[in-house]
Structures are given as structure tokens and as C-alpha cells.
Amino acid sequence: MVNPVEIAPSILGGDHADLAASVEKIKNAGLTWVHVDVMDGHFVPNLSFGPGVVKALKKRFPDMFYDVHLMLDNPHLYIGAFAEAGADLISIHVEPDYPIAATLDNIHSAGKKLGVVFNPKTPIGDVIPYLPRVDMVLAMSVQPGFGGQTFDKDVLEKISRLNELRTELGLSYRIEIDGGITAQNVGECIGRGCDTIVAGTEFFKNGPALIEAAKAAP
Ligand code: DX5
Ligand code: ZN
């Protein structure tokens, strides 16, 4: 395994009336990553959190690692705001039409880790050009927009390929998976090469079983 496995619970799956309680729960489970799903109502048909939420959580829980997943048509317009708010890693999708390479440059210049994300129907070829420069590749295992959807197994082939490419190219990017992760399927994801596991619904419903299953993975 190139990188230690991290579970990154998505606060989208917790109580939105008490986001601090969600982060407290993540912390009490012995985890440090917090996955923040940011949605614009256009790239995805839902709205969620903005930079103010990241800023408030970072202030309250400064030692947590904020893994910010931007599901926006215009992510390049918000890098400064999320960087200032305290994001530690910012991931941007490859599907919308905006200057992707320049946006990665901006994330880097802001001193943050950078990730690229692709949807279940997006070919892996669309992320390959960015592999040498990213800290993480996020493969979506559901169509983004909502928590609680069913895991799309077709992503597993892509994970295997990202894992092979990581070795072939001599790189160490993290491979993150997001959507429909459960205690039942997390082992196979890790076995295929994932080291960063997003879980919303399952973490908040069944956290200890999920963590145990991840620890027991090959
Ligand atoms: C989907 C989000 C996911 C989602 C995961 O748009 O990117 O992070 O919250 O939720 P679960 O684990 O419930 O599928
Ligand atoms: Zn996400």
C-alpha cells in the first residue's frame, strides 16, 4: 500500500442542524479526515455547503483535515475562498468546461493539496493527463449530488487501472472513492488500491463496522 488508509466521513450524511456534532463524531472515531461536499445546484442537482461552513469547522476543530470536494460548474472562481476558509485538499471535477490546469495551479499556489475527480460515466482517460501533478484522484462510485445512493461496481475496474498507473508511472497519488461505500464493499475497494474512503450514510449509521471492515481489508 503506497499510502495509509484514511476514512473520510462526509458531513453531508450527518445532521445538518449540528455539523459540529458530526465532526466530533469523526474525531471520536479516531479519524482526522472530514469530507465536505460542495454543490452548486447546476453541475449537480442539489445545494449544500459553502466556504463559511469550512471556515467555522476549521476554527472549531483546527486539527482535522478538510477534504473539500467541489461539485461546481465554475470551481475556479472559488479556490481562493475555500483555501482561505481552511480547506486542506481541494478536488475539482474534470467534466465541466473551465481552465482545469490553471485551477490546479491556483490550488497549488494557495499551498493546498490538489485532487481531480471523475464521474462514473467519465472515461479514465480524462484524468490521466493530470496524474503526475495531483495528490489525489477521486473516482465517483455514484452520480454525484446526493448521499445514500447505491455503489456502482463499474468503478472497480477504474480503481485497478489507477492503481496500476500509479506504479507504472512511479507516482504516489491517493486514490479516493466516493459514493455508496458500506462495511460490505469497503474491503474490495481497498483491495483494488483505494486508500481514501469517503462514507456518508454508512459512517453515521454504522461507523464502527465500517472502520473494522476497512482495518480487516487486504
Ligand atoms: C455525492 C457526494 C458523496 C456522498 C457520499 O454527491 O460526493 O460524498 O455524500 O454519501 P454516501 O456515502 O451516503 O453515498
Ligand atoms: Zn464527495
Side-chain angles (χ1 to χ4, degrees):
M1 188 61 78
V2 182
N3 302 299
V5 173
E6 297 285 352
I7 295 177
S10 167
I11 55 170
L12 191 70
D15 178 359
H16 291 206
D18 199 349
L19 294 171
S22 292
V23 180
E24 196 78 56
K25 185 166 184 194
I26 297 169
K27 207 175 157 178
N28 290 340
L31 305 174
T32 52
W33 282 52
V34 178
H35 185 81
V36 184
D37 286 306
V38 178
M39 305 180 182
D40 66 355
H42 200 259
F43 176 62
V44 290
N46 196 5
L47 295 159
S48 57
F49 314 117
V53 166
V54 174
K55 188 173 180 183
L57 292 176
K58 185 75 174 181
K59 188 169 176 218
R60 180 90 69 98
F61 303 98
D63 298 334
M64 303 303 273
F65 184 92
Y66 293 87
D67 168 29
V68 175
H69 174 191
L70 298 183
M71 287 163 271
L72 311 176
D73 265 335
N74 290 306
H76 56 300
L77 304 182
Y78 297 93
I79 302 306
F82 282 99
E84 256 172 56
D88 293 286
L89 186 154
I90 301 176
S91 294
I92 55 173
H93 274 261
V94 295
E95 293 84 4
D97 187 14
Y98 66 97
I100 297 177
T103 306
L104 291 174
D105 290 342
N106 288 344
I107 301 172
H108 183 74
S109 310
K112 307 300 180 179
K113 293 200 181 301
L114 40 133
V116 280
V117 195
F118 65 127
N119 281 340
K121 291 197 171 65
T122 302
I124 193 169
D126 291 12
V127 296
I128 287 176
Y130 306 107
L131 296 181
R133 55 180 314 199
V134 296
D135 298 290
M136 190 169 84
V137 181
L138 166 49
M140 292 305 303
S141 38
V142 298
Q143 185 59 22
F146 300 92
Q149 303 183 73
T150 304
F151 183 77
D152 178 347
K153 281 194 165 72
D154 289 349
V155 74
L156 293 169
E157 280 304 309
K158 292 174 173 176
I159 298 296
S160 296
R161 187 66 193 129
L162 287 170
N163 192 31
E164 283 166 9
L165 284 166
R166 185 164 60 179
T167 308
E168 283 167 28
L169 301 170
L171 299 169
S172 58
Y173 51 79
R174 284 186 164 274
I175 302 177
E176 184 174 60
I177 191 156
D178 183 1
I181 298 296
T182 62
Q184 285 69 43
N185 61 26
V186 69
E188 174 151 27
C189 296
I190 294 172
R192 295 272 189 148
C194 286
D195 49 40
T196 314
I197 310 293
V198 177
T201 308
E202 185 75 336
F203 175 78
F204 288 101
K205 258 210 221 147
N206 204 14
L210 174 73
I211 292 169
E212 274 315 302
K215 280 190 185 148

